[in-house]
Amino acid sequence: MLSIKTTSLFFELTCIYLRAMKTTDKKIELKGFTLAELQDYCISIGEPKFRASQLFNWIYNHICFDFNEMQNLSKELRGKLDDNCNLRTLNLVTTQNSHSTGTKKFLFETHDKHKIESVLIPEKERSTLCISTQVGCPLDCKFCATGLMGYKRNLTAGEVVDQYLLTAKENGKEKITNIVYMGMGEPLLNFTTTLKSAEIFTHELTKGLSRTRITVSTSGIPHKIKELADSGLRVKLAFSLHSAFEDFRSKIMPINKKYSLKENVEALKYYSQKTKTRITFEYTMLKDLNDTDDDVKAITKLCAKFPSKINVIPFNSIKHMNPGGISAELEPTPYDEILRFVDKLRSNNITVMVRETQGDDIAAACGQLAVKMK
Ligand code: SAH
Ligand code: SF4
């Protein structure tokens, strides 16, 4: 009979063996590979380069999650890919529909049990998917539910692309025409992933999504804005302004203490010149705090620096998070006041759009995305 000591040693050795198996068993996450990366991978396993375009087509256009369905690949290659690679990064847990606007919120789970959200906003002539780049966000903006929930980790390129692929599959015939990086997290703090996913979305082989329909939104990381401009990707850039005054911006967006508005304005000018695009300023309206005549003047001055437009967003309540500090004091500017503010900006020759609140009945509106952290 084995002694207790020998049994526990045996148990421990078994655990070590199983852990080692798991490490060697780790599959390559092919989802999120760009065409160039797929080409490198094909060459590394002794396959011709053109296989990469076939894989690209199956993964991103046919939205195929099973190598065995890739009919123009040999049985042997399909088996090899199946043994070594993985095509599913997220599981769709639930979807929620907003009855008032038709907005849909998708809750996904990652392999390490984190929850993230994407939001699909159907409109008359387009259907916009709002995707996340991080689990939570480290930047702690005082008006944002994601900021209040804290930060866990960056998402992988596969996890970002899968939000689109799983939603597109779920959505069936209703085609997604626009992708905005405005879900959970700061895309420019997950720069490589943002770049890789945007490259996949805008690639000429990715049918159905054209390069003008991708928008990256940032709270302002100037050197990354410049790097994005130099990347050659022609995505639209939105900048979360919320105040044209350094002091107040720092109060509601702590990142402004590290990267001032002044530095960001210089980077945005660079982006606009280099990409020949107009920058969108996002402006969430907070009652008595950023909706005064002085704000109109400061925004007007700012908009004169490079081609831009303003996207005014009614403040979406974050009361469901029970916030403290300044967050608890924030109130939305009443709608008629918003319209008066917009009129004043327009009379200064500024292009202004007012974004309609979408899906606040299911906490899917801008800045309302937050899920419980483990
Ligand atoms: N981190 C990026 C993108 C995600 S946030 C960024 O900050 O730009 C997407 C947009 O929602 C940003 O413009 C953000 O400022 C805005 N937002 C955040 N919380 C909001 C709220 N409670 N009401 C309205 N808009 C909000
Ligand atoms: Fe992060 Fe953007 Fe929310 Fe600020 S607004 S906390 S940057 S997700």
Side-chain angles (χ1 to χ4, degrees), residues 281-293:
F281 285 118
E282 291 162 286
Y283 201 88
T284 300
M285 300 226 37
L286 304 168
K287 188 170 183 282
D288 299 332
L289 296 173
N290 67 357
D291 56 1
T292 66
D293 284 351

Side-chain angles (χ1 to χ4, degrees), residues 68-343:
N68 291 310
E69 287 170 11
M70 302 183 175
Q71 293 135 9
N72 56 358
L73 306 185
S74 70
K75 204 170 167 206
E76 192 200 341
L77 176 58
R78 280 185 265 156
K80 204 187 317 184
L81 291 170
D82 206 25
D83 287 345
N84 298 304
C85 305
N86 169 29
L87 273 186
R88 185 177 283 272
T89 67
L90 296 174
N91 278 320
L92 180 57
V93 182
T94 50
T95 58
Q96 254 182 301
N97 292 331
S98 158
H99 299 299
S100 52
T101 60
T103 296
K104 280 187 203 163
K105 185 160 81 168
F106 297 82
L107 178 72
F108 297 104
E109 189 176 67
T110 63
H111 70 92
D112 51 352
K113 305 284 174 225
H114 290 306
K115 303 275 195 317
I116 55 156
E117 292 176 326
S118 312
V119 178
L120 184 65
I121 306 154
E123 286 166 295
K124 257 191 220 130
E125 275 151 20
R126 58 184 182 180
S127 203
T128 303
L129 181 68
C130 178
I131 54 174
S132 297
T133 51
Q134 297 183 311
V135 184
C137 180
L139 296 187
D140 196 26
C141 299
K142 301 303 174 194
F143 45 82
C144 172
T146 310
L148 294 179
M149 77 185 248
Y151 168 72
K152 278 285 169 184
R153 70 165 172 86
N154 276 336
L155 295 178
T156 63
E159 288 166 336
V160 172
V161 174
D162 250 351
Q163 292 171 61
Y164 162 70
L165 295 175
L166 287 163
T167 312
K169 201 160 180 113
E170 182 76 14
N171 213 34
K173 287 190 205 98
E174 221 179 291
K175 217 176 103 204
I176 295 166
T177 57
N178 297 49
I179 294 177
V180 293
Y181 287 70
M182 292 185 189
M184 301 162 82
E186 168 50 51
L188 298 191
L189 286 184
N190 190 4
F191 192 71
T192 310
T193 286
T194 296
L195 223 57
K196 276 175 62 171
S197 53
E199 185 184 328
I200 291 166
F201 293 143
T202 56
H203 198 281
E204 58 183 13
L205 290 184
T206 321
K207 294 169 197 139
L209 282 165
S210 102
R211 58 177 49 195
T212 52
R213 290 174 169 174
I214 309 286
T215 303
V216 173
S217 172
T218 181
S219 55
I221 319 284
H223 56 288
K224 292 291 172 192
I225 291 176
K226 288 186 178 166
E227 214 176 315
L228 187 64
D230 293 337
S231 72
L233 277 180
R234 294 291 173 261
V235 292
K236 289 190 197 164
L237 188 64
F239 177 78
S240 294
L241 177 64
H242 308 311
S243 174
F245 294 107
E246 298 276 8
D247 285 356
F248 184 62
R249 195 166 188 272
S250 293
K251 258 193 200 149
I252 54 169
M253 301 179 74
I255 186 67
N256 195 65
K257 292 178 206 156
K258 187 166 182 192
Y259 302 118
S260 67
L261 186 55
K262 193 165 177 266
E263 283 173 84
N264 273 299
V265 166
E266 194 228 317
L268 293 169
K269 195 171 173 183
Y270 181 82
Y271 192 92
S272 170
Q273 281 169 351
K274 185 101 195 213
T275 61
K276 300 189 176 47
T277 56
R278 191 152 73 148
I279 307 289
T280 301
F281 285 118
E282 291 162 286
Y283 201 88
T284 300
M285 300 226 37
L286 304 168
K287 188 170 183 282
D288 299 332
L289 296 173
N290 67 357
D291 56 1
T292 66
D293 284 351
D294 282 347
D295 291 296
V296 172
K297 270 190 219 147
I299 296 171
T300 305
K301 213 169 141 193
L302 182 60
C303 285
K305 294 184 191 286
F306 47 80
S308 60
K309 64 174 179 175
I310 308 273
N311 213 339
V312 162
I313 317 169
F315 172 54
N316 297 310
S317 172
I318 49 167
K319 292 224 159 75
H320 60 288
M321 300 289 289
N322 294 321
I326 187 176
S327 303
E329 292 160 29
L330 304 177
E331 292 290 338
T333 302
Y335 200 66
D336 54 339
E337 287 289 327
I338 292 183
L339 295 183
R340 266 198 287 279
F341 187 83
V342 167
D343 277 348

